[in-house]
């Protein structure tokens, strides 16, 4: 494994980039997703500089993810031929098998359903966002991929679902897998414009 | 491609974040453009490192610019640069007639004043890529009418 210390001007390095020579990546395999992954890393680094504590950074990432999510859903619906989901189980399948595959090139597994059927886990064997990332010691509370939670929340809100999304496990924090826990809160009623009888 | 869309959304949100703090003077705007450009620079460095792991050494400056125009630009934006011009004295002009990051903004002169925000990161990407290939440069961009843009690359010795 080669460790690259990209020389940040300030000297305080938040994200250390790791380039694995044994990975099956060659020039031809350089995906556009690396542009996304590296840009995301630059964003998190900037947020860590701008905000004093990890909680604030997490909040910002969630907010930005939300803003992306409310627009991404339109892009998703335009690209996929997915119709209206009948229930939360179908929603889970579409998120894992269609959306994640389409945008991040990975298919998480859907597991750990609650008895009421209103909560489930998405298990990611590998999280593309953290491809070149290692968290330094002084950022224990940072939820590096928190943008994803916001994206899912924002996207689902646009299709009338209020959900809560959080990371239950994170490979960056030493867990074996990355686990996103999604809970259905309620159906959002469409608001009629004021003045309509 | 879908992951292209994801990057465009992220890029757009990044610009919103950098520009959300108050103040609209020239200096403030200058600082923001610099911030975006610097972020692009680091990303460009990282990308070029990964991209050229198995590429043979470049013969000369022009060879490098052709690589940027064809391979690097395709990796970033799924298309090549449309036109490359040079004065053979260290100045290169790269023209993209339908720059991906501007195509969602407008198709003409509307919102022209906002175009620089959407080019800063990419200028950094090019400068960072070139820097890791051993070339110091100054990269600027101009937009006459969206979504076409010209990137001007000036080598520094």
């Amino acid at each position: 494994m080669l460790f690259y210390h990209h020389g940040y001007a300030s000297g305080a390095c938040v994200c250390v980039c790791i380039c694995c020579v044994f990975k099956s990546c060659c020039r031809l395999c350089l995906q556009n997703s690396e542009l996304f992954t590296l840009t995301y890393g630059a964003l998190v680094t900037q947020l860590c500089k701008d905000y004093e504590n990890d909680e604030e950074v997490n909040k910002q990432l969630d907010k930005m993810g939300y803003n992306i999510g409310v627009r991404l859903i339109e892009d998703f619906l335009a690209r996929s031929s997915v119709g209206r989901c009948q229930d939360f189980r179908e929603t889970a399948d579409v998120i894992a098998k269609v959306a994640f595959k389409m945008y991040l090139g990975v298919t998480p597994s859907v597991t750990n359903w609650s008895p009421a059927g209103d909560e489930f886990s998405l298990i990611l064997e590998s999280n593309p966002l953290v491809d070149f990332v290692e968290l330094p010691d002084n950022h224990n509370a940072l939820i590096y991929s928190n943008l994803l939670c916001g994206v899912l929340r924002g996207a689902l809100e646009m299709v009338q679902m209020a959900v809560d999304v959080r990371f239950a496990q994170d490979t960056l924090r030493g867990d074996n897998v990355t686990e996103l826990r999604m809970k259905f809160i309620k159906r959002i009623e469409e608001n009629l414009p004021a003045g309509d009888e | 491609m879908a992951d292209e869309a994801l990057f465009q959304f992220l890029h757009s949100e990044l610009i919103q974040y950098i520009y959300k703090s108050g103040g609209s003077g020239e200096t403030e705007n200058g600082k923001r453009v610099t911030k975006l450009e610097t972020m692009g620079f680091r990303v460009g460095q990282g990308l070029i490192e990964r991209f050229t792991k198995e590429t043979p050494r470049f013969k000369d400056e022009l060879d490098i610019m052709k690589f940027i125009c064809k391979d690097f630009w395709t990796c970033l934006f799924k298309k090549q640069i449309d036109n490359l011009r040079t004065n053979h004295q260290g100045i290169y002009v790269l023209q993209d007639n339908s720059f991906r990051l501007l195509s969602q903004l407008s198709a003409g002169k509307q919102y022209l004043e906002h175009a620089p925000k959407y080019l800063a990161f990419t200028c950094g990407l090019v400068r960072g890529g070139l820097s890791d290939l051993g070339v110091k440069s100054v990269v600027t961009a101009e937009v006459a009418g969206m979504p076409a843009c010209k990137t001007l690359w000036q080598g520094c010795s």
Side-chain angles (χ1 to χ4, degrees):
Chain A
M1 296 259 273
L2 284 172
F3 280 82
Y4 283 95
H5 229 282
H6 288 280
Y8 296 121
S10 66
C13 193
V14 176
C15 301
V16 175
C17 295
I18 300 170
C19 181
C20 182
V21 285
F22 300 110
K23 221 166 155 185
S24 60
C25 269
C26 62
R27 178 191 146 162
L28 297 167
C29 299
L30 184 68
Q31 302 287 322
N32 190 249
S33 58
E34 301 211 10
L35 173 60
F36 175 78
T37 303
L38 288 173
T39 305
Y40 185 69
L43 168 66
V44 178
T45 307
Q46 186 64 45
L47 289 173
C48 288
K49 275 203 201 118
D50 292 343
Y51 291 96
E52 280 168 5
N53 63 68
D54 291 343
E55 275 311 313
E56 275 303 317
V57 177
N58 295 339
K59 257 196 243 168
Q60 271 304 311
L61 284 172
D62 181 77
K63 204 163 106 183
M64 293 174 80
Y66 177 86
N67 292 341
I68 291 175
V70 302
R71 295 162 68 196
L72 194 72
I73 185 71
E74 274 182 46
D75 184 81
F76 173 70
L77 293 173
R79 281 183 208 271
S80 68
S81 43
V82 170
R84 191 176 271 285
C85 291
Q86 296 303 316
D87 56 29
F88 202 45
R89 280 187 184 263
E90 212 183 312
T91 307
D93 278 344
V94 169
I95 292 172
K97 298 182 183 142
V98 191
F100 263 85
K101 182 98 182 94
M102 192 183 277
Y103 291 108
L104 293 175
V106 292
T107 310
S109 48
V110 178
T111 58
N112 290 353
W113 279 97
S114 63
D118 64 346
E119 199 171 348
F120 67 91
S121 290
L122 287 166
I123 309 277
L124 285 147
E125 297 291 323
S126 75
N127 176 2
L129 262 57
V130 309
D131 262 351
F132 312 114
V133 175
E134 203 176 85
L135 283 186
D137 291 327
N138 57 334
H139 286 281
N140 289 324
L142 179 67
I143 308 173
Y144 183 86
S145 310
N146 212 31
L147 192 98
L148 287 182
C149 296
V151 172
L152 288 164
R153 198 165 55 82
L156 289 173
E157 193 175 295
M158 292 297 107
V159 288
Q160 271 64 59
M161 269 183 270
V163 295
D164 179 68
V165 191
R166 59 178 181 84
F167 277 91
Q169 292 190 76
D170 192 350
T171 47
L172 277 187
R173 310 264 275 276
D175 299 310
N176 287 336
V177 292
T178 299
E179 181 185 351
L180 276 163
R181 192 92 187 125
M182 284 190 65
K183 184 177 170 67
F184 178 81
I185 310 279
K186 63 173 183 178
R187 184 146 217 91
I188 302 171
E189 294 308 321
E190 291 200 48
N191 289 322
L192 292 172
D196 266 28
E197 287 303 299
Chain B
M1 256 246 72
D3 52 5
E4 211 186 323
L6 196 53
F7 169 72
Q8 287 183 23
F9 283 124
L10 181 67
H11 177 256
S12 188
E13 201 49 41
L14 182 60
I15 294 171
Q16 296 299 322
Y17 170 72
I18 299 283
Y19 274 78
K20 74 168 185 202
S21 49
S24 54
E26 283 250 356
T27 351
E28 273 305 311
N29 274 337
K31 280 192 200 154
R32 289 166 183 151
V33 166
T34 306
K35 240 188 203 175
L36 284 166
E37 207 267 355
T38 313
M39 290 172 78
F41 181 80
R42 291 194 208 119
V43 174
Q45 283 185 309
L47 278 174
I48 276 283
E49 265 185 45
R50 311 257 314 132
F51 200 27
T52 57
K53 259 197 326 225
E54 277 143 48
T55 315
R57 225 176 166 66
F58 294 105
K59 290 200 307 264
D60 55 24
E61 222 170 61
L62 188 58
D63 217 27
I64 293 178
M65 286 322 290
K66 285 186 188 162
F67 171 80
I68 298 282
C69 292
K70 294 211 268 233
D71 302 290
F72 194 50
W73 209 258
T74 306
C75 154
L76 295 175
F77 304 115
K78 299 288 193 288
K79 67 181 284 283
Q80 296 185 7
I81 282 284
D82 295 305
N83 198 333
L84 169 68
R85 293 202 305 275
T86 177
N87 65 354
H88 295 288
Q89 283 168 18
I91 299 190
Y92 298 83
V93 181
L94 290 64
Q95 181 154 340
D96 186 333
N97 293 327
S98 55
F99 186 51
R100 290 275 196 267
L101 300 178
L102 289 179
S103 56
Q104 301 298 313
L105 270 190
S106 92
K109 306 236 186 246
Q110 201 184 19
Y111 302 126
L112 208 56
E113 68 276 16
H114 293 288
K117 295 181 201 170
Y118 286 82
L119 297 169
F121 187 80
T122 306
C123 287
L125 280 175
V126 176
R127 191 169 67 86
L130 288 169
S131 158
D132 252 36
L133 292 174
V135 180
K136 279 189 90 170
S137 61
V138 172
V139 182
T140 54
E142 63 177 60
V143 179
M146 305 217 236
C149 85
K150 282 189 201 166
T151 317
L152 193 125
W153 176 84
Q154 216 165 327
C156 307
S157 44

